[in-house]
Amino acid sequence: GYLLVILLLMIIIGYSLFNLSRMTRTIDALVNSDQQAVDLEKQMRDALLSRARNFEKYRVTNDPAFLDLSRTSRSDFLDTHRRLVSKLGTLRERDLGQRALTLYRGYDALLEEETRSFDQGIAFPADPGAGAKLAEEISGTLASLTDLQQRRIVATIQGLRARAGRAAVMVRVLLVLSLLAAAAVALAVTRGIHRPLRQINAMTTIVAGGDFSRQIDLASPPELADLARSFNRMSAELKQLDEMKSGFISHVSHELRTPLASIAEADSLL
């Protein structure tokens, strides 16, 4: 009985630790992958915006420093994209990531072509709005990618909540079972002690009435079995004492009756 209760408690602890470990791994993956992917996508949008702004300043001022800043932002975008690729989990996310890269390469080629036009003295590109359209399309693609990532994060969090709820229900069920098992064990132990005690009590009454021939036969629990054996030894010793007492009284009565009979016989002869 005790082993059953201990086993149930061990199951509760093991199940709780197992679910805690699973949730910890999921949270680690959420923090180390999904959330980092969202952060990288934001960095890519910032790099795209920085590229566009610095190139616009270069276009207005023709200052090479702004062109260098714009190209630095390009390197930041490409480096961030390389880091992002390993964190894209689904096929749809990888497709969007590749699309953003392809669009950005087209956008970068357009800006470099415009730079060469400036170097050749051409003030405006053939299609002034082409770069802005590409930048807007890249930003929209990154926004879609971020939306996918955020939805996956929300789904993961909801899954964690559902798992935690199921784990809580299971722990409650196992706890109730443990309490019921403990109550059953306590009842069995109580009955196992109460019944032998009643037998010992009844036997005590019999022995007190002078009947030393009865014996108590108890095998368990061990403590009460020892008590029963001690009681049986006491009863046997009392029986011996009673037999000795009866023999002594019989012998004394016999010895007293013999002289009295002799005296009475002598008296009758006189």
Side-chain angles (χ1 to χ4, degrees):
Y2 294 112
L3 293 177
L4 176 61
V5 176
I6 293 172
L7 178 62
L8 285 173
L9 291 175
M10 290 179 65
I11 291 173
I12 292 174
I13 295 172
Y15 183 78
S16 301
L17 290 176
F18 173 72
N19 279 277
L20 181 61
S21 176
R22 287 183 62 186
M23 286 188 284
T24 300
R25 289 195 299 269
T26 304
I27 291 172
D28 288 342
L30 184 67
V31 172
N32 295 330
S33 180
D34 294 346
Q35 188 58 51
Q36 285 185 9
V38 172
D39 294 339
L40 291 173
E41 289 153 16
K42 181 179 181 301
Q43 293 175 24
M44 289 171 67
R45 288 195 298 272
D46 292 342
L48 174 65
L49 182 60
S50 176
R51 171 85 157 127
R53 286 178 176 173
N54 284 307
F55 191 82
E56 185 63 28
K57 293 176 182 177
Y58 167 71
R59 180 186 292 167
V60 172
T61 63
N62 202 23
D63 186 347
F66 290 117
L67 181 60
D68 291 339
L69 290 174
S70 178
R71 286 172 174 167
T72 299
S73 299
R74 174 186 62 191
S75 299
D76 292 341
F77 184 96
L78 296 175
D79 290 342
T80 305
H81 181 272
R82 280 192 291 270
R83 292 159 55 198
L84 174 66
V85 168
S86 62
K87 301 184 182 301
L88 299 179
T90 66
L91 180 61
R92 175 61 176 162
E93 291 171 357
R94 289 192 291 270
D95 288 343
L96 286 174
Q98 184 60 41
R99 174 176 169 76
L101 179 62
T102 301
L103 290 171
Y104 189 83
R105 285 173 176 166
Y107 175 70
D108 181 67
L110 186 65
L111 295 187
E112 290 300 318
E113 183 181 354
E114 192 171 339
T115 301
R116 288 192 294 271
S117 298
F118 291 155
D119 293 340
Q120 295 172 6
I122 303 173
F124 299 99
D127 186 2
K133 291 177 183 178
L134 278 174
E136 185 177 349
E137 195 170 354
I138 296 168
S139 181
T141 302
L142 291 175
S144 298
L145 185 56
T146 300
D147 182 63
L148 279 178
Q149 292 283 342
Q150 289 176 339
R151 278 189 286 176
R152 190 165 67 160
I153 290 172
V154 170
T156 302
I157 292 173
Q158 290 175 344
L160 285 173
R161 288 177 178 172
R163 188 180 301 165
R166 290 192 298 270
V169 171
M170 183 59 68
V171 168
R172 291 191 190 99
V173 170
L174 291 174
L175 185 59
V176 170
L177 290 177
S178 298
L179 292 175
L180 291 175
V185 170
L187 179 62
V189 170
T190 301
R191 292 185 62 182
I193 294 176
H194 182 65
R195 186 177 299 170
L197 285 177
R198 288 181 60 187
Q199 292 181 12
I200 293 173
N201 184 57
M203 192 60 63
T204 302
T205 303
I206 293 173
V207 170
D211 185 359
F212 304 115
S213 62
R214 305 285 292 276
Q215 296 286 308
I216 303 175
D217 184 17
L218 291 178
S220 62
E223 295 80 4
L224 292 180
D226 290 340
L227 177 61
R229 284 191 289 270
S230 298
F231 185 90
N232 290 335
R233 284 196 299 270
M234 180 195 70
S235 180
E237 290 174 0
L238 287 175
K239 183 179 180 180
Q240 256 184 345
L241 288 174
D242 186 64
E243 290 174 350
M244 290 174 61
K245 181 188 72 173
S246 298
F248 176 75
I249 292 174
S250 176
H251 178 71
V252 170
S253 298
H254 175 73
E255 293 296 329
L256 289 175
R257 278 199 304 270
T258 300
L260 288 176
S262 299
I263 293 171
E265 184 66 26
D267 182 65
S268 65
L269 292 175
L270 291 174

